[in-house]
Amino acid sequence: MPEIRKHYFLSEYCIIAEERAKRPSDFAGAAEDSGKSGSENCIFCGGEEEKTPLATAVYKNRKIFADTSEERIRNWDFRCFPNLYPALSSVPEHPEHPEIGLHAEPGYGFHEIIVESPLHGRKLEDFSDPELSGLMHVYRDRTCNYITREKILYVSLFKNSGKAAGASINHSHSQLVALPFCPPQVERELKVIREKERCPYCAMFDKEKTSSRLIFENSECIAFTPYSSMGPFEVWILPRKHVSFLGDCKDKTLFALGDILRDVLKSYRKVLGNLPFNHMFYQLFKTPEYHLNLRLLPRLTINAGFELNTGTYINTVSPERAASYLRGDLTPGK
Ligand SMILES: [Zn+2]
Ligand SMILES: [Zn+2]
């Protein structure tokens, strides 16, 4: 049973979840991140529905269904089900051996898998407009479904793509972890945002819209390499409209976010090949000061002693240069 443990004296947490060590990987034997690991035995493929927990939300022709123990929905577009090896549990037990003077609490929360296509090997950057719009609606729906639950304070919505980015199954999927606490770095951000007269993300939008770090722009969003990027080719996506979570996004903004995400992924592939990366939504519910943003980080470097020791990252590609590669102005190696 998972357990949430607090740091000795800071409001920082870790989750102890030993069950997760048992999760299988389909990367074994396949060339790492070749994107070609076989579809044999893939439990996320269409037709293999029996191999996962019952789906809590199945999207088919824009309607939502749920599996029952009698019937599993087939021919779906997107399929969401509880992670078989969850980091948190919706019915957690109390920690078995609480230690005096240290804080531990039941590992309450939700951990869901969002399978983005029934087809093995189908990637987000190749999605058609209807597929992309469908996925963005699923992201919004699932965020709203969990962010409004009792005791849930943060919804972490993210994608690990490639083994080096933490994926254990090479079939395109995202994950959602609903937490009973707000992550300390988001708390820290929020404290500073509340001290400012104007939203720093709105100011960032105005600054980056005309900077040399701008990569793409559409009617609703910009994609840019942040001024103090923590790694090569880090990209942030910001909506022009000040919205604090996906639930506040109208359809037009939602699609524009997905569209620019697809553009960034396409240019990653063009410039960097089939690289491992994470994308992560930063969003807060009932916190109008916050400004929704989406961050992408290719996993080209390993956090080593210095980064872990100082929380400071050494980036070997300036964000200005990375942006010119991603826009297509420069070709790597030149
Ligand atoms: Zn598959
Ligand atoms: Zn803002």
Side-chain angles (χ1 to χ4, degrees):
M1 269 292 162
E3 191 177 304
I4 296 172
R5 291 188 180 180
K6 197 173 176 190
H7 180 277
Y8 292 96
F9 56 91
L10 296 174
S11 292
E12 291 179 2
Y13 305 88
C14 77
I15 298 169
I16 308 291
E18 294 194 313
E19 285 294 302
R20 276 183 68 68
K22 295 182 194 150
R23 69 193 196 278
S25 171
D26 75 346
F27 282 100
E32 186 172 327
D33 297 329
S34 67
K36 290 201 185 95
S37 92
S39 60
E40 320 90 58
N41 306 322
C42 173
I43 61 169
F44 289 179
C45 277
E48 305 295 330
E49 291 79 13
E50 272 74 20
K51 293 181 181 161
T52 70
L54 293 176
T56 35
V58 185
Y59 294 80
K60 187 172 167 173
N61 303 326
R62 295 258 163 176
K63 293 199 183 80
I64 309 179
F65 304 86
D67 284 348
T68 60
S69 44
E70 289 81 45
E71 198 208 348
R72 300 205 180 208
I73 315 286
R74 309 276 177 190
N75 302 316
W76 40 271
D77 301 316
F78 307 96
R79 189 164 185 265
C80 312
F81 48 85
N83 193 313
L84 195 53
Y85 303 91
L88 292 164
S89 161
S90 57
V91 282
E93 287 163 7
H94 277 273
E96 275 174 35
H97 307 290
E99 285 191 47
I100 294 165
L102 298 176
H103 177 89
E105 58 187 273
Y108 170 77
F110 301 88
H111 190 169
E112 187 170 275
I113 301 284
I114 299 170
V115 181
E116 296 159 5
S117 168
L119 304 174
H120 199 84
R122 184 91 179 135
K123 300 258 185 223
L124 208 157
E125 54 266 42
D126 299 317
F127 274 15
S128 65
D129 284 358
E131 282 175 295
L132 189 69
S133 151
L135 176 65
M136 296 308 291
H137 277 83
V138 173
Y139 277 167
R140 184 173 66 187
D141 271 14
R142 303 317 287 159
T143 297
C144 292
N145 181 59
Y146 288 105
I147 217 161
T148 49
R149 303 265 181 129
E150 200 186 343
K151 290 194 272 185
I152 292 302
L153 292 179
Y154 188 79
V155 164
S156 172
L157 175 60
F158 60 95
K159 179 184 175 76
N160 302 335
S161 182
K163 193 176 178 187
S168 55
I169 291 191
N170 192 17
H171 181 132
S172 195
H173 66 284
S174 298
Q175 298 185 58
L176 181 154
V177 179
L179 293 172
F181 59 86
C182 185
Q185 67 268 37
V186 178
E187 286 275 17
R188 208 157 49 225
E189 246 191 63
L190 191 58
K191 189 170 174 281
V192 177
I193 290 171
R194 284 181 166 150
E195 286 163 2
K196 302 261 184 205
E197 263 176 43
R198 183 177 183 227
C199 165
Y201 282 102
C202 285
M204 196 187 297
F205 188 100
D206 291 347
K207 171 87 187 154
E208 297 300 350
K209 198 179 169 322
T210 55
S211 84
S212 58
R213 292 173 295 275
L214 184 75
I215 311 165
F216 300 117
E217 141 177 49
N218 61 29
S219 63
E220 301 282 310
C221 307
I222 56 169
F224 61 97
T225 50
Y227 183 67
S228 64
S229 295
M230 63 190 280
F233 298 93
E234 179 176 12
V235 171
W236 287 14
I237 293 174
L238 261 188
R240 175 194 313 272
K241 221 167 260 160
H242 181 96
V243 285
S244 57
F245 82 119
L246 283 171
D248 284 343
C249 288
K250 300 243 162 56
D251 287 1
K252 192 178 169 199
T253 307
L254 197 64
F255 182 77
L257 260 179
D259 197 21
I260 210 162
L261 170 63
R262 180 174 56 185
D263 287 341
V264 173
L265 293 177
K266 271 187 191 156
S267 76
Y268 270 173
R269 182 159 67 190
K270 207 164 164 193
V271 176
L272 302 161
N274 192 20
L275 83 168
F277 70 92
N278 301 105
H279 78 231
M280 305 149 277
F281 285 90
Y282 286 74
Q283 53 176 340
L284 285 172
F285 179 52
K286 286 190 179 162
T287 313
E289 304 92 320
Y290 200 70
H291 192 133
L292 163 77
N293 62 94
L294 171 59
R295 303 180 195 177
L296 294 101
L297 189 63
R299 301 301 293 270
L300 299 168
T301 51
I302 292 171
N303 291 348
F306 175 74
E307 286 80 5
L308 295 171
N309 183 227
T310 62
T312 305
Y313 295 84
I314 302 170
N315 180 354
T316 53
V317 182
S318 76
E320 293 77 17
R321 180 184 296 274
S324 59
Y325 286 141
L326 294 171
R327 282 193 305 264
D329 304 349
L330 268 181
T331 312
K334 302 237 166 100

PDB file of all heavy atoms in Angstrom, residues 220-232:
ATOM      1  N   GLU A 220      -4.083  31.436 -30.422  1.00  0.00           N
ATOM      2  CA  GLU A 220      -4.362  31.312 -28.990  1.00  0.00           C
ATOM      3  C   GLU A 220      -3.132  31.069 -28.119  1.00  0.00           C
ATOM      4  O   GLU A 220      -3.190  31.247 -26.905  1.00  0.00           O
ATOM      5  CB  GLU A 220      -5.310  30.123 -28.761  1.00  0.00           C
ATOM      6  CG  GLU A 220      -6.633  30.233 -29.479  1.00  0.00           C
ATOM      7  CD  GLU A 220      -7.591  31.167 -28.772  1.00  0.00           C
ATOM      8  OE1 GLU A 220      -7.778  30.997 -27.558  1.00  0.00           O
ATOM      9  OE2 GLU A 220      -8.118  32.076 -29.436  1.00  0.00           O
ATOM     10  N   CYS A 221      -2.042  30.575 -28.715  1.00  0.00           N
ATOM     11  CA  CYS A 221      -0.900  30.118 -27.903  1.00  0.00           C
ATOM     12  C   CYS A 221       0.438  30.467 -28.539  1.00  0.00           C
ATOM     13  O   CYS A 221       0.514  30.682 -29.745  1.00  0.00           O
ATOM     14  CB  CYS A 221      -0.896  28.589 -27.782  1.00  0.00           C
ATOM     15  SG  CYS A 221      -2.394  27.867 -27.209  1.00  0.00           S
ATOM     16  N   ILE A 222       1.482  30.458 -27.705  1.00  0.00           N
ATOM     17  CA  ILE A 222       2.849  30.503 -28.230  1.00  0.00           C
ATOM     18  C   ILE A 222       3.644  29.318 -27.680  1.00  0.00           C
ATOM     19  O   ILE A 222       3.330  28.786 -26.606  1.00  0.00           O
ATOM     20  CB  ILE A 222       3.601  31.818 -27.872  1.00  0.00           C
ATOM     21  CG1 ILE A 222       3.627  32.057 -26.353  1.00  0.00           C
ATOM     22  CG2 ILE A 222       3.006  33.004 -28.600  1.00  0.00           C
ATOM     23  CD1 ILE A 222       4.573  33.184 -25.930  1.00  0.00           C
ATOM     24  N   ALA A 223       4.660  28.914 -28.450  1.00  0.00           N
ATOM     25  CA  ALA A 223       5.616  27.909 -27.992  1.00  0.00           C
ATOM     26  C   ALA A 223       6.987  28.553 -28.080  1.00  0.00           C
ATOM     27  O   ALA A 223       7.338  29.144 -29.102  1.00  0.00           O
ATOM     28  CB  ALA A 223       5.552  26.662 -28.867  1.00  0.00           C
ATOM     29  N   PHE A 224       7.765  28.468 -26.998  1.00  0.00           N
ATOM     30  CA  PHE A 224       9.087  29.103 -26.973  1.00  0.00           C
ATOM     31  C   PHE A 224      10.025  28.305 -26.086  1.00  0.00           C
ATOM     32  O   PHE A 224       9.591  27.489 -25.270  1.00  0.00           O
ATOM     33  CB  PHE A 224       8.966  30.558 -26.470  1.00  0.00           C
ATOM     34  CG  PHE A 224       8.416  30.657 -25.062  1.00  0.00           C
ATOM     35  CD1 PHE A 224       9.269  30.791 -23.965  1.00  0.00           C
ATOM     36  CD2 PHE A 224       7.050  30.603 -24.826  1.00  0.00           C
ATOM     37  CE1 PHE A 224       8.767  30.866 -22.661  1.00  0.00           C
ATOM     38  CE2 PHE A 224       6.532  30.676 -23.527  1.00  0.00           C
ATOM     39  CZ  PHE A 224       7.395  30.807 -22.458  1.00  0.00           C
ATOM     40  N   THR A 225      11.322  28.556 -26.268  1.00  0.00           N
ATOM     41  CA  THR A 225      12.308  27.950 -25.378  1.00  0.00           C
ATOM     42  C   THR A 225      12.513  28.944 -24.227  1.00  0.00           C
ATOM     43  O   THR A 225      12.856  30.103 -24.477  1.00  0.00           O
ATOM     44  CB  THR A 225      13.643  27.716 -26.119  1.00  0.00           C
ATOM     45  OG1 THR A 225      14.007  28.925 -26.786  1.00  0.00           O
ATOM     46  CG2 THR A 225      13.519  26.622 -27.160  1.00  0.00           C
ATOM     47  N   PRO A 226      12.265  28.538 -22.984  1.00  0.00           N
ATOM     48  CA  PRO A 226      12.330  29.513 -21.892  1.00  0.00           C
ATOM     49  C   PRO A 226      13.744  30.077 -21.685  1.00  0.00           C
ATOM     50  O   PRO A 226      14.732  29.370 -21.886  1.00  0.00           O
ATOM     51  CB  PRO A 226      11.858  28.727 -20.672  1.00  0.00           C
ATOM     52  CG  PRO A 226      11.959  27.293 -21.042  1.00  0.00           C
ATOM     53  CD  PRO A 226      11.857  27.206 -22.532  1.00  0.00           C
ATOM     54  N   TYR A 227      13.797  31.341 -21.310  1.00  0.00           N
ATOM     55  CA  TYR A 227      15.058  32.087 -21.120  1.00  0.00           C
ATOM     56  C   TYR A 227      16.049  31.322 -20.249  1.00  0.00           C
ATOM     57  O   TYR A 227      17.230  31.227 -20.552  1.00  0.00           O
ATOM     58  CB  TYR A 227      14.726  33.444 -20.494  1.00  0.00           C
ATOM     59  CG  TYR A 227      15.908  34.343 -20.298  1.00  0.00           C
ATOM     60  CD1 TYR A 227      16.590  34.865 -21.389  1.00  0.00           C
ATOM     61  CD2 TYR A 227      16.332  34.688 -19.014  1.00  0.00           C
ATOM     62  CE1 TYR A 227      17.677  35.699 -21.215  1.00  0.00           C
ATOM     63  CE2 TYR A 227      17.422  35.525 -18.832  1.00  0.00           C
ATOM     64  CZ  TYR A 227      18.097  36.028 -19.935  1.00  0.00           C
ATOM     65  OH  TYR A 227      19.165  36.846 -19.758  1.00  0.00           O
ATOM     66  N   SER A 228      15.561  30.754 -19.141  1.00  0.00           N
ATOM     67  CA  SER A 228      16.466  29.956 -18.291  1.00  0.00           C
ATOM     68  C   SER A 228      16.085  28.486 -18.404  1.00  0.00           C
ATOM     69  O   SER A 228      15.679  27.869 -17.431  1.00  0.00           O
ATOM     70  CB  SER A 228      16.419  30.433 -16.842  1.00  0.00           C
ATOM     71  OG  SER A 228      15.124  30.227 -16.315  1.00  0.00           O
ATOM     72  N   SER A 229      16.223  27.944 -19.608  1.00  0.00           N
ATOM     73  CA  SER A 229      15.883  26.521 -19.852  1.00  0.00           C
ATOM     74  C   SER A 229      16.734  25.621 -18.975  1.00  0.00           C
ATOM     75  O   SER A 229      17.935  25.832 -18.830  1.00  0.00           O
ATOM     76  CB  SER A 229      16.165  26.162 -21.315  1.00  0.00           C
ATOM     77  OG  SER A 229      15.335  26.877 -22.191  1.00  0.00           O
ATOM     78  N   MET A 230      16.111  24.605 -18.404  1.00  0.00           N
ATOM     79  CA  MET A 230      16.867  23.696 -17.537  1.00  0.00           C
ATOM     80  C   MET A 230      17.588  22.618 -18.326  1.00  0.00           C
ATOM     81  O   MET A 230      18.439  21.900 -17.785  1.00  0.00           O
ATOM     82  CB  MET A 230      15.971  23.096 -16.464  1.00  0.00           C
ATOM     83  CG  MET A 230      14.842  22.235 -16.965  1.00  0.00           C
ATOM     84  SD  MET A 230      13.696  21.823 -15.632  1.00  0.00           S
ATOM     85  CE  MET A 230      14.572  20.499 -14.849  1.00  0.00           C
ATOM     86  N   GLY A 231      17.281  22.456 -19.602  1.00  0.00           N
ATOM     87  CA  GLY A 231      17.966  21.457 -20.421  1.00  0.00           C
ATOM     88  C   GLY A 231      17.853  21.816 -21.882  1.00  0.00           C
ATOM     89  O   GLY A 231      17.039  22.675 -22.251  1.00  0.00           O
ATOM     90  N   PRO A 232      18.671  21.171 -22.741  1.00  0.00           N
ATOM     91  CA  PRO A 232      18.630  21.450 -24.168  1.00  0.00           C
ATOM     92  C   PRO A 232      17.227  21.214 -24.739  1.00  0.00           C
ATOM     93  O   PRO A 232      16.619  20.190 -24.453  1.00  0.00           O
ATOM     94  CB  PRO A 232      19.616  20.437 -24.765  1.00  0.00           C
ATOM     95  CG  PRO A 232      20.495  20.010 -23.640  1.00  0.00           C
ATOM     96  CD  PRO A 232      19.666  20.138 -22.393  1.00  0.00           C
TER      97      PRO A 232
END
